[in-house]
Amino acid sequence: MDIVEKILEYSNPYNVLQEKVKIKDNSLLFNNENIPFNKPILISVGKASLPMARFFSERIELKAKLIVTPKGTKGKENNVIEAGHPLPDENSIEAGKKMIELLTTEDYDLVIFAISGGASALVEYSEISLDELRMINKILVTSGIGINKINIVRKHLSKIKGGKILEYIKDKIPVVSFIVSDVPGNDISSIGSGLTSIDTSTNENALEILKDIGLERYSKYLTETPKSVSRIVKNYIILDNMEVLKKVANILDNSFILTSEIRGEARDVGTIIASIYNSSENYNVPLRRPYYLLLGGEPEVTIQGKAGKGGRNGEVCLSFLKYAKKGNRFELLGLATDGVDGNSEYAGCKVTSDMKIAEDDIDTALETHNSYGLLENYGGTIKTGYTHTNVNNIYVLRAP
Ligand SMILES: Nc1ncnc2c1ncn2[C@@H]1O[C@H](COP(=O)(O)OP(=O)(O)O)[C@@H](O)[C@H]1O
Ligand SMILES: O=C(O)[C@@H](CO)OP(=O)(O)O
């Protein structure tokens, strides 16, 4: 059995929508909700936007739709905007304007959003120039501060994020948002910068973060996010990392899920996974061979200066390899479910007890953020291509 294939099958948003959302007699049925419609419009944004949009387009006569996917991922689809990720580009601004135009000019009675990770970069509308937005985003995503804080800043510098887009929707027209979560803890106001969510963070919170990363000069652009809405808004998380971990655990013997919310500097996360492995080797605690240990989440990588070719999972796996006790067999798989780990062309990697990589080489690769530059020489890389989903990263440790 190919675990990577299984992880991606369970992460497929089209399958999950099919399982969890029914459309009957002009009503959307999901999670004990029944939302009627006659003239629905669809806004689908994020790494999973195409399959999510396909689900609704195949079943509902939409009055209008807007689909935004990262650059290079639309394939043969028409009428889809490809925009920048992880940094916004001119198409992200175009998509932001189109979203506002759609909401303010179309005739509709329900807005269906399909939101997945990546949406923050893919749509934007802000007073700040694009060049400056790109610079701010670059600093944010490489600062190692974690996605919740990154998105607090994004929400307050934007005119559409953090629920602000809801204010462009006509009358009391309801909103239903189907969300694939790639944020540990599933804070809906963080996923894709919470387009359709009430936001509890404040300008002051954003200012603190701007100060921490040396961008206080942009505080003049901070605007408050709405703290209440005067319409029905249903935000429904259809899929998250834990759900995928559980499904994977189901098909593996002696599997144990540790967490779906692992965070921290990637190399430290690798060391912690090695500590769990080592104590299991030495004491059979917490696990006794044979076992699979499953983890998910979003380790961070703080990059200062130039980076080689690498990603979170490359660093987790290399650091694990360095600290894992040698002697018995092991394999650690680290996979970005969106198919892209860091700035590499790989989705992830697998390190095994057979890989004899010198500790010095691992240290250098970690220092220079060149994990894949090193792993390529040892056949440890995994390439999936773009997956059209994103439930964050998954780690599977196998001790046979
Ligand atoms: N060469 C590199 N080595 C390690 N991490 C990197 C490298 N380049 C970028 N990153 C990290 O990758 C993260 C963004 O890439 P990615 O894994 O695709 O995340 P996301 O899915 O959130 O877009 C950032 O946290 C950044 O610090
Ligand atoms: O869009 C975003 O804000 C984040 C979190 O949802 O996604 P990604 O890390 O994939 O850019």
Side-chain angles (χ1 to χ4, degrees):
M1 181 204 17
D2 183 344
I3 295 186
V4 171
E5 237 171 59
K6 283 291 174 192
I7 293 172
L8 295 182
E9 180 188 325
Y10 300 142
S11 307
N12 182 319
Y14 186 95
N15 296 348
V16 177
L17 281 168
Q18 233 170 351
E19 243 175 70
K20 299 186 179 176
V21 180
K22 305 287 170 228
I23 291 139
K24 217 174 140 206
D25 304 331
N26 276 14
S27 280
L28 277 173
L29 310 176
F30 60 95
N31 200 28
N32 296 321
E33 302 284 352
N34 180 337
I35 307 285
F37 59 80
N38 281 307
K39 300 176 286 185
I41 60 171
L42 172 73
I43 295 176
S44 187
V45 190
K47 292 175 180 173
S49 65
L50 284 171
M52 292 181 88
R54 184 162 61 85
F55 173 84
F56 292 105
S57 305
E58 284 173 357
R59 290 162 177 78
I60 296 177
E61 201 173 314
L62 296 161
K63 282 275 307 186
K65 61 185 169 186
L66 172 68
I67 306 171
V68 193
T69 190
K71 198 150 258 172
T73 67
K74 84 178 173 69
K76 294 196 176 83
E77 294 289 329
N78 293 321
N79 301 321
V80 173
I81 297 182
E82 284 190 331
H85 185 278
L87 307 183
D89 67 0
E90 53 287 347
N91 288 359
S92 313
I93 310 292
E94 186 58 30
K97 283 187 190 150
K98 281 248 161 69
M99 194 186 290
I100 293 171
E101 190 187 307
L102 193 73
L103 293 172
T104 50
T105 60
E106 280 293 332
D107 174 29
Y108 56 91
D109 65 355
L110 174 69
V111 189
I112 305 171
F113 277 88
I115 294 174
S116 49
S120 293
L122 296 176
V123 284
E124 187 53 290
Y125 190 60
S126 168
E127 276 180 26
I128 305 172
S129 76
L130 179 59
D131 282 347
E132 286 175 298
L133 274 176
R134 286 175 66 85
M135 181 274 292
I136 294 167
N137 273 281
K138 180 144 199 216
I139 292 175
L140 282 171
V141 298
T142 55
S143 61
I145 62 173
I147 192 67
N148 299 78
K149 282 188 170 178
I150 293 175
N151 284 353
I152 286 176
V153 172
R154 284 167 161 168
K155 283 183 276 195
H156 290 270
L157 290 180
S158 170
K159 286 184 166 172
I160 55 175
K161 301 181 200 297
K164 291 177 190 169
I165 193 70
L166 296 172
E167 299 185 336
Y168 294 89
I169 297 173
K170 292 177 178 174
D171 309 321
K172 296 264 185 240
I173 289 170
V175 173
V176 178
S177 204
F178 297 96
I179 302 169
V180 174
S181 171
D182 69 326
V183 170
N186 292 348
D187 174 3
I188 48 168
S189 71
S190 237
I191 305 163
S193 291
L195 282 168
T196 57
S197 165
I198 288 304
D199 178 42
T200 54
S201 73
T202 61
N203 274 346
E204 288 69 39
N205 301 141
L207 177 60
E208 281 307 305
I209 303 165
L210 283 176
K211 279 185 189 161
D212 287 348
I213 56 174
L215 292 176
E216 196 182 346
R217 62 189 181 282
Y218 288 99
S219 59
K220 61 175 186 267
Y221 294 108
L222 294 173
T223 54
E224 202 43 271
T225 47
K227 305 300 174 214
S228 65
V229 273
S230 56
R231 68 181 76 245
I232 292 172
V233 179
K234 302 281 177 199
N235 286 298
Y236 178 38
I237 296 186
I238 59 154
L239 181 66
D240 69 358
N241 188 282
M242 182 55 94
E243 184 167 332
V244 176
L245 289 178
K246 283 182 177 169
K247 285 184 172 165
V248 175
N250 251 334
I251 55 165
L252 299 174
D253 289 336
N254 303 320
S255 57
F256 182 84
I257 299 173
L258 187 65
T259 175
S260 63
E261 300 185 31
I262 196 131
R263 305 189 97 147
E265 194 63 27
R267 64 176 80 181
D268 300 332
V269 168
T271 315
I272 291 167
I273 301 175
S275 321
I276 298 168
Y277 171 78
N278 293 349
S279 135
S280 299
E281 285 298 283
N282 294 332
Y283 303 101
N284 290 321
V285 177
L287 298 161
R288 180 188 291 272
R289 279 175 183 268
Y291 65 82
Y292 287 92
L293 176 67
L294 278 70
L295 306 92
E298 187 157 61
E300 289 110 27
V301 178
T302 311
I303 295 181
Q304 272 146 358
K306 247 180 104 202
K309 188 199 288 190
R312 316 167 193 275
N313 301 328
E315 298 204 2
V316 169
C317 287
L318 278 182
S319 170
F320 170 84
L321 189 61
K322 176 175 168 186
Y323 292 105
K325 183 177 176 178
K326 309 298 179 293
N328 288 326
R329 279 182 63 204
F330 62 72
E331 274 176 25
L332 177 67
L333 162 74
L335 185 77
T337 56
D338 61 6
V340 185
D341 191 18
N343 67 357
S344 79
E345 68 269 41
Y346 303 110
C349 54
K350 193 190 265 181
V351 291
T352 73
S353 42
D354 294 333
M355 283 181 178
K356 308 291 179 228
I357 309 183
E359 279 199 11
D360 282 354
D361 290 345
I362 294 182
D363 288 341
T364 308
L366 291 174
E367 281 314 310
T368 56
H369 301 292
N370 191 35
S371 47
Y372 288 112
L374 178 64
L375 284 161
E376 274 171 340
N377 305 324
Y378 291 86
T381 53
I382 295 170
K383 209 180 215 173
T384 58
Y386 196 73
T387 60
H388 292 285
T389 190
N390 185 15
V391 292
N392 237 319
N393 304 277
I394 287 191
Y395 305 94
V396 182
L397 170 63
R398 176 169 169 251

